[in-house]
């Protein structure tokens, strides 16, 4: 059996004007309707013509698949606060990209919208974006301590420095503070337990989004 040694991608983008009935449909139904309209004439015709043309040079098409997506550009983008809540680690330009990519595709229910936007925010930028911080907490001994660490803006996790990883924090304590170095930003944190890497400290996504502008400015300065 022949083995593929080339991968061909051909993309077209069409600007369409559709009747109101299409604009009222959900993203899933809209894509299904357009796919049915295109049918085999387009979806199978393109591979057939491609195989014929490439065959003139001795190139064989071993397999193919298609991807179809339709964005309803008549629908307003999600409000900025929803975008920030889903991706507090994103820059202004990246939030604009998320708005464009999600326009016309965001589910109607609040819970589904949040999950949808969060998933696409991480797909857009999933890398860890770290900023230096210090954690003010109470040790299991009852003493107060300050731990050097780094805050991950992408998921809210706090990575404690190697010299402080032996510290054991008091369980379920209130008032655990994650302070960003060189700024007045103070975030509420929580300790979810301990591992070999030290205390498991987390900052909630909502806490990150509430201070998003300052956090991004700090990350960009440290970058």
């Amino acid at each position: 059996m022949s083995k593929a040694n080339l991968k061909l991608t051909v993309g077209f983008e069409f600007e369409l004007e559709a009747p109101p009935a299409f604009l009222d449909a959900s993203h899933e139904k809209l894509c299904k309707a357009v796919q049915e309209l295109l049918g085999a004439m387009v979806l199978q015709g393109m591979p057939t013509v491609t195989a014929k043309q490439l065959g003139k040079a001795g190139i064989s098409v071993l397999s193919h698949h298609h991807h179809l997506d339709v964005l309803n550009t008549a629908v307003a983008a999600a409000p900025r606060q929803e975008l920030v809540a889903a991706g507090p680690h994103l820059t202004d330009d990246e939030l604009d990209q998320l708005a464009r990519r999600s326009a016309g595709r965001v589910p109607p229910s609040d819970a589904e919208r949040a999950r949808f936007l969060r998933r696409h925010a991480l797909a857009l930028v999933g890398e860890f974006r770290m900023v230096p911080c210090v954690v003010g907490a109470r040790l299991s001994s009852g003493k107060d301590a300050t731990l050097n660490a780094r805050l991950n803006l992408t998921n809210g996790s706090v990575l404690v420095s190697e010299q402080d990883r032996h510290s054991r924090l008091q369980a379920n304590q209130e008032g655990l503070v994650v302070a960003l170095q060189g700024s007045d930003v103070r975030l509420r944190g929580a300790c979810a337990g301990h591992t070999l890497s030290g205390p498991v400290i987390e900052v909630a996504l909502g806490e990150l989004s509430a201070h998003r502008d300052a956090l991004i400015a700090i990350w960009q300065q440290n970058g």
Side-chain angles (χ1 to χ4, degrees), residues 16-171:
L16 309 175
E17 181 181 0
F22 286 92
L23 304 181
D24 294 335
S26 67
H27 177 253
E28 182 180 356
K29 290 181 178 179
L30 179 59
C31 289
K32 183 177 180 181
V34 172
Q35 179 162 303
E36 290 176 351
L37 286 171
L38 294 177
M41 179 67 73
V42 173
L43 302 181
Q44 296 299 323
M46 175 66 175
T48 300
V49 172
T50 299
K52 182 178 179 180
Q53 292 301 111
L54 294 179
K56 296 177 181 179
I59 300 174
S60 300
V61 175
L62 303 182
S63 64
H64 64 83
H65 73 278
H66 71 270
H67 171 74
L68 183 149
D69 193 18
V70 185
L71 294 182
N72 185 349
T73 56
V75 176
R80 185 174 178 82
Q81 65 264 28
E82 289 189 27
L83 301 174
V84 170
H89 65 296
L90 300 180
T91 64
D92 288 344
D93 287 343
E94 290 162 351
L95 286 174
D96 290 341
Q97 291 181 51
L98 179 60
R100 290 194 296 271
R101 293 187 183 189
S102 61
R105 302 172 61 185
V106 183
S109 75
D110 290 343
E112 291 179 353
R113 287 171 70 90
R115 286 193 294 268
F116 175 89
L117 290 173
R118 178 61 176 165
R119 185 170 65 251
H120 283 271
L122 291 175
L124 182 63
V125 178
E127 66 187 27
F128 288 174
R129 292 184 165 174
M130 314 291 289
V131 292
C133 64
V134 292
V135 178
R138 182 162 296 168
L139 301 178
S140 57
S141 64
K143 295 181 178 180
D144 291 334
T146 300
L147 314 179
N148 292 310
R150 290 184 298 157
L151 169 64
N152 183 354
L153 302 185
T154 307
N155 62 16
S157 63
V158 178
L159 180 63
V160 177
S161 63
E162 187 172 354
Q163 64 265 30
D164 290 326
R165 288 179 184 174
H166 65 281
S167 303
R168 293 196 66 82
L169 306 186
Q170 204 173 82

